């Protein structure tokens, strides 16, 4: 087969054999990226392009200038794409040299047009060693690189849920064990890359250190294995330039509040569950004005802190900005002019940047002196913090905001105001920046002027008014004569090509000038390409300082966004403690408080501690606001632990090590689990892992099964949480029987959502008050939902029977003693199901 292929196709086959079989090869041919054989068949369906054949070989292609959009489709489909570009000069009669310049996978996208600006794109790796699980992840588009180690599969699942990587590396040997955690995202890699010696060597070699002691991960061999495998995969497997990965951050779970997948979903931390409007906490707090700040805010929300000092530093910084609202406004205005320095620098370092990236860098860096001035003014005008001399975070942020006058001057001098995207076609540099470049441009300009003068002279000499001197990349310069004027062609014209409408000619004089013009243009373009690389390398000399500056800007942007939110909505500074007390006065739901239009949000108080207010039973009707209230308390606790101010008049927050949530009904059909089984699994996780420092919110425990079973389970769970776990707990329920717990447990308090009845209607007051609810108002809520009046009437009768006495003397349900008010449908009679939902006697407990 190879003998019958053309030299170009043999080159293609040779390159294709070096790639993994699941990678699609995009082969540059002129203005297209072409795919052949099986790659073409698969890509044509994904990209919705025509599948054709040439010499019996299936092929399809996409335009080079529009490749980004097609690449996005391939990545979204979960495929890997190898980009094969022309790296050699085009020489007539010889095959141009081509090489795979990069391999793109879902976790290694660096092109800004394929990335979501306001969130990270992580490549992760997981590795099990000695019953511990290593977890590492990197964002190739920014250079962020972290690792940790956890003790159980459940903790590893929590980390995966928080980081939400686009691709997960696992070793071939552990694939069966670990792929289930991220089956759709997993990529199998050579197992030796995860081994201690190989992984340690990869990390030491990359960071140019003799030991990993300085990173604090020497006691994390599984995590080191995962991190080393990432570097091996990027360098060897994908052939990527990763020198912009300059730091490795080791963290431990004890540093952060644990936020598992259920809590993320139940509290809608970074994504809402549906609907046209984003109702997440992230959406409510995100007033950042830079992509770097938006990514940092998301990271903070998913990694709340468990240490007082850094949280108080964030609070102090917010307090300073609120005290100087004019400086806050000025700082935010300056930040709006800063583009994504973090990703721009990474792209330039990976040889994927262009002159427009340098221009973005230039315009962003010009804003830094103003930002430094604002922070210095802030330091001079206010004095907050425990040490009485301002916040450490503000001082560090100011220190890390480097100014780059030399780099800005270089870029301003070198680059035109609107450089082209392509870096090999010239037009990037200003006149006067390079004397050799100016000379080549002048030669080209003078030559083109001569061409225009030649055209006018030839028109006058031949009398052919339609005569044109034209240029194409294939044929160069030529004189074009229409068929009607061929009789007037001078004898010194030499025919070059015949076209449909006429003939193309060349003269010795034109040929000589063509060599001068084209030679000057080509040399000018080559020189500009060399100059671009020189300027890019000059910029990357400040790589570490640029990355530190980007990080400082992200922190400043988030803190300023917190301050702006607090200013707009009247937030208070919570008092943070290590104690177990949680007291909030006039607390408001951070999302609903901003979004309610038809009614004003009603504030509520809460008091939780490890003593007499350990477990609060919240009763009340559906739609009254029980779920909103308990979610509100959880969200305010989490907001306090990311350093934010709170929508309340006063707050004291004892730091929680974890927020547990059991909210709503859902099933997991993929694992064959019913709604009730999912509920019990999540509840078991809470009971087995909660500590006295945890905050637990439970909504309608036991509703997925029969009343007797559900109430029994709910009662037992409440007792266990009070007696054994002793965690701060909010327990919202329809089981009014649970209010009896207050009489038997000293740490239980009953609260209910106040409602008022008027003309058989209910009015939701949205206020949490002391005491238990006396009924659930379910029938009134059903009426509001639009159930037919006869259904509502019958329901009232059934309720009356149940409340008087559930069973008659014969032990049969009294529900069946009176026929329904609405007529039965005319259909074949079938036996009814027995009604066994009895109201339990409290003596059972």
């Amino acid at each position: 087969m190879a003998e019958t292929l053309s030299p170009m196709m043999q080159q293609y086959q040779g390159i294709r054999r070096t790639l993994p079989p699941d990678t699609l090869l995009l082969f540059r041919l002129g203005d297209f990226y072409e795919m052949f054989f099986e790659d073409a068949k698969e890509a044509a369906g994904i990209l919705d392009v025509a599948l054709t054949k040439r010499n019996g070989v299936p092929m399809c292609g996409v335009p080079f200038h529009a490749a980004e959009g097609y690449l996005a489709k391939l990545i979204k489909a979960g495929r890997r794409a190898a980009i094969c570009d022309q790296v050699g000069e085009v020489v007539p009669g010889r095959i141009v040299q081509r090489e795979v310049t990069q391999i793109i996978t879902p976790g290694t996208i660096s092109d800004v047009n394929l990335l979501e600006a306001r969130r990270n794109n992580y490549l992760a790796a997981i590795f099990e060693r000695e019953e511990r699980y290593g977890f590492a992840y990197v964002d190739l588009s920014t250079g962020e690189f972290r690792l940790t180690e956890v003790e159980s599969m459940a903790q590893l699942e929590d980390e995966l849920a928080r980081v939400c990587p686009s691709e997960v590396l696992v070793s071939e040997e552990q694939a069966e064990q670990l792929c289930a955690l991220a089956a759709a995202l997993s990529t199998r890699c050579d197992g030796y890359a995860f081994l201690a010696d190989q992984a340690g060597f990869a990390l030491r070699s990359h960071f140019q250190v003799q030991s990993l002691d300085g990173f604090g991960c020497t006691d994390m061999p599984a995590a080191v294995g995962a991190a080393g495998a990432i570097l091996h995969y990027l360098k060897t497997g994908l052939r990527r330039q990763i020198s912009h990965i300059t730091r490795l951050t080791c963290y431990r779970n004890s540093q952060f509040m644990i936020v598992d997948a259920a809590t993320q979903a139940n509290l809608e931390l970074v994504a809402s569950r549906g609907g046209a409007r984003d109702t997440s906490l992230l959406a409510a707090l995100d007033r950042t004005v830079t992509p770097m700040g938006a990514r940092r805010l998301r990271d903070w929300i998913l990694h709340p802190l468990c240490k007082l000092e850094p949280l108080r530093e964030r609070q102090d910084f917010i307090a300073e900005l609120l005290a100087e609202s004019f400086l806050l406004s000025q700082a935010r205005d300056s930040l709006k002019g800063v583009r994504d320095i973090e990703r721009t620098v990474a792209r330039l370092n990976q040889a994927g940047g262009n002159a427009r990236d340098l221009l973005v860098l230039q315009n962003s860096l010009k804003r830094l002196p103003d930002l430094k001035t604002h922070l210095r003014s802030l330091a001079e005008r206010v004095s907050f913090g425990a040490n009485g001399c301002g916040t450490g975070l503000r001082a560090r942020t100011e220190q890390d905001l480097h100014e780059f006058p030399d780099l800005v001057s270089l870029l301003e001098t070198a680059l035109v105001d609107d450089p082209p995207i392509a870096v090999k076609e010239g037009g990037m540099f200003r006149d006067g920046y390079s004397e050799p470049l100016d000379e080549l441009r002048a030669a080209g300009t003078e030559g083109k002027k001569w061409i225009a003068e030649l055209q006018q002279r030839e028109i006058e000499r031949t009398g052919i008014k339609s005569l044109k001197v034209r240029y194409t990349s294939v044929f160069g310069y030529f004189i074009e004569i229409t068929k009607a004027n061929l009789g007037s062609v001078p004898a010194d014209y030499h025919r070059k090509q015949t076209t449909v409408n006429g003939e193309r000619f060349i003269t010795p004089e034109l040929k000589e000038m063509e060599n001068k013009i084209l030679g000057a243009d080509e040399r000018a373009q080559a020189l500009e390409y060399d100059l671009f690389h020189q300027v890019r390398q000059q910029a990357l000399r400040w790589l570490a300082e640029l990355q530190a500056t980007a990080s400082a800007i992200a922190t400043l942007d988030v803190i300023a966004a917190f301050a702006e939110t607090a200013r707009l909505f009247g937030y208070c500074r919570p008092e943070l403690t290590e104690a177990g007390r949680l007291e909030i006065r006039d607390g408001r739901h951070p999302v609903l408080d901003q979004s309610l239009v038809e009614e004003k949000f009603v504030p509520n108080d809460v008091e939780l501690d490890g003593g007499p207010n350990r477990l609060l039973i919240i009763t009340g009707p559906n739609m009254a606001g029980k779920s909103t209230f308990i979610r509100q308390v959880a969200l305010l606790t989490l907001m306090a632990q990311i350093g934010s101010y709170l929508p309340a008049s006063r707050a004291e927050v004892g730091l929680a090590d974890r927020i547990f949530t059991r909210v709503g009904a859902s099933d997991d059909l993929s694992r064959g689990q019913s709604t009730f089984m999912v509920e019990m699994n999540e509840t078991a996780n809470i009971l087995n892992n909660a500590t006295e420092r945890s905050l637990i919110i439970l909504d309608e425990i036991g509703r997925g099964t029969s009343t007797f079973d559900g109430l029994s389970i709910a009662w037992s769970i409440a007792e266990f949480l009070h007696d054994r776990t002793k965690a701060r707990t909010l327990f919202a329920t329809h089981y009014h029987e649970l209010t009896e717990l207050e009489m038997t447990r000293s740490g239980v308090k009953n609260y209910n959502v106040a409602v008022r009845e008027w003309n058989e209607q209910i009015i939701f007051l949205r206020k949490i008050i002391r005491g238990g609810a006396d009924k659930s108002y379910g029938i009134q809520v059903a009426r509001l939902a639009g159930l037919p009046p006869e259904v509502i009437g019958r329901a009232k009768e059934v309720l009356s029977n149940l409340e008087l006495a559930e069973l008659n003397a014969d032990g049969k349900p009294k529900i069946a003693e009176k026929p329904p008010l609405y007529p039965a449908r005319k259909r074949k009679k079938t036996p009814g199901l027995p009604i066994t939902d009895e109201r339990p006697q409290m003596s059972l407990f």
Side-chain angles (χ1 to χ4, degrees), residues 464-508:
I464 304 173
K465 294 184 178 181
S466 61
L467 181 148
K468 300 290 184 184
V469 179
R470 299 188 182 278
Y471 170 82
T472 69
S473 58
V474 176
F475 294 104
Y477 285 96
F478 53 82
I479 299 172
E480 190 170 71
I481 306 294
T482 60
K483 286 184 177 180
N485 295 296
L486 290 178
S488 302
V489 171
D492 58 342
Y493 278 28
H494 302 287
R495 182 179 287 105
K496 189 170 187 178
Q497 184 188 23
T498 300
T499 65
V500 175
N501 298 318
E503 301 279 354
R504 292 174 176 177
F505 298 90
I506 190 72
T507 66

Side-chain angles (χ1 to χ4, degrees), residues 118-120 122 137 144 146 162-163 251 256 270 282 292-305 314 558 642:
R118 303 183 75 82
R119 65 176 296 174
N120 290 97
Y122 289 121
Y137 57 95
E144 177 188 355
R146 298 184 186 180
R162 284 207 277 198
V163 172
Y251 70 95
F256 305 110
V270 295
L282 176 61
M292 297 168 290
R295 296 194 294 269
R296 179 66 54 84
L297 173 59
R298 183 187 180 91
D299 180 67
W300 282 10
I301 289 175
L302 293 174
H303 292 85
L305 299 177
R314 293 178 187 180
V558 175
I642 65 174

Side-chain angles (χ1 to χ4, degrees), residues 471-621:
Y471 170 82
T472 69
S473 58
V474 176
F475 294 104
Y477 285 96
F478 53 82
I479 299 172
E480 190 170 71
I481 306 294
T482 60
K483 286 184 177 180
N485 295 296
L486 290 178
S488 302
V489 171
D492 58 342
Y493 278 28
H494 302 287
R495 182 179 287 105
K496 189 170 187 178
Q497 184 188 23
T498 300
T499 65
V500 175
N501 298 318
E503 301 279 354
R504 292 174 176 177
F505 298 90
I506 190 72
T507 66
E509 185 182 25
L510 180 58
K511 186 64 177 177
E512 181 180 355
M513 184 56 68
E514 176 189 75
N515 293 333
K516 293 181 180 179
I517 295 172
L518 295 183
D521 285 347
E522 290 174 358
R523 290 196 300 274
Q525 290 173 4
L527 178 57
E528 283 208 56
Y529 186 60
D530 290 340
L531 291 173
F532 167 74
H533 281 287
Q534 293 174 20
V535 172
R536 183 174 67 183
Q537 287 305 116
Q538 283 283 90
L540 292 175
R541 286 174 51 197
W542 286 283
L543 176 62
E545 291 85 354
L546 287 167
Q547 289 179 327
T549 297
S551 180
I553 289 171
T555 297
L556 175 58
D557 193 13
V558 175
I559 294 296
F562 283 166
E564 181 69 4
T565 302
R567 184 187 69 82
L568 290 173
F569 298 100
Y571 285 13
C572 76
R573 175 175 179 164
E575 178 186 353
L576 304 177
T577 71
E578 296 279 8
R581 182 175 178 78
L582 174 61
E583 182 181 4
I584 298 172
R585 298 301 176 198
D586 299 317
R588 310 188 304 274
H589 193 290
V591 178
L592 298 180
D593 184 46
Q594 298 181 24
S595 59
L596 284 181
V597 177
E598 298 181 358
E599 59 179 309
K600 185 177 180 180
F601 189 87
V602 177
N604 276 296
D605 302 338
V606 67
E607 184 176 355
L608 281 167
D609 53 40
N613 298 284
R614 187 183 310 163
L615 190 151
L616 308 187
I617 303 292
I618 317 294
T619 51

Side-chain angles (χ1 to χ4, degrees), residues 129-363:
R129 175 176 170 173
E130 298 176 355
E131 298 183 352
R132 293 184 64 84
Y133 297 89
F135 179 62
Y137 57 95
V138 67
D139 185 342
L140 192 62
S141 71
T142 66
E144 177 188 355
F145 194 13
R146 298 184 186 180
L147 82 166
T148 191
E149 199 166 287
V150 295
E151 298 176 354
S152 67
M153 188 79 78
Q155 291 177 341
L156 181 58
E157 288 179 336
D158 291 340
E159 288 303 306
L160 284 167
R162 284 207 277 198
V163 172
C164 197
S166 299
E167 184 179 2
V168 180
L169 307 181
V170 296
S171 73
E172 287 281 2
E173 292 78 5
Q174 297 181 2
E176 297 299 323
Q177 173 189 357
L178 298 177
C179 274
L181 293 174
L185 309 173
S186 60
T187 298
R188 301 189 181 196
C189 298
D190 293 330
Y192 76 88
F194 292 82
L195 299 180
D197 291 344
Q198 173 64 27
F201 173 79
L203 290 167
R204 292 192 301 272
S205 175
H206 176 77
F207 291 108
Q208 298 181 0
V209 295
Q210 292 184 340
S211 168
L212 299 179
D213 293 351
F215 298 110
C217 58
T218 52
D219 60 339
M220 296 183 174
V224 169
I230 286 178
L231 293 185
H232 175 81
Y233 178 68
L234 291 174
K235 284 184 176 180
T236 306
L238 303 187
R239 313 175 194 187
R240 305 299 281 270
Q241 167 58 252
I242 57 174
S243 60
H244 65 291
I245 301 176
T246 59
R247 294 183 60 192
L248 178 63
T249 302
C250 174
Y251 70 95
R252 301 174 191 272
N253 274 349
S254 59
Q255 295 176 242
F256 305 110
M257 173 198 289
I258 298 175
V259 181
D260 58 26
T263 298
Q264 281 190 53
N266 292 333
L267 297 183
E268 298 182 287
L269 294 184
V270 295
S272 53
R273 288 186 165 184
R277 189 168 56 85
D278 189 348
T279 56
S280 67
L281 177 65
L282 176 61
L285 296 181
D286 192 359
R287 285 175 177 79
T288 58
V289 293
T290 71
M292 297 168 290
R295 296 194 294 269
R296 179 66 54 84
L297 173 59
R298 183 187 180 91
D299 180 67
W300 282 10
I301 289 175
L302 293 174
H303 292 85
L305 299 177
C306 287
K307 301 294 183 183
L308 286 175
E309 183 180 354
L311 288 172
R312 287 173 177 164
E313 284 191 338
R314 293 178 187 180
Q315 290 183 333
D316 288 344
F317 201 169
I318 296 170
E320 290 187 356
L321 290 170
L322 286 173
E324 295 292 336
S325 57
F326 180 68
L327 281 176
L328 169 62
S329 177
Q330 285 187 314
R332 283 173 56 80
D333 285 343
S334 296
L335 283 168
K336 289 176 183 177
V338 178
R339 303 282 290 280
D340 201 338
I341 295 176
E342 199 170 35
R343 281 183 168 166
T344 299
V345 170
R347 195 160 52 251
L348 287 168
N349 186 73
Q350 295 179 81
N354 55 31
R356 292 190 180 183
D357 290 314
L358 291 173
L359 189 66
V360 164
L361 191 61
Q362 169 197 317
N363 292 333

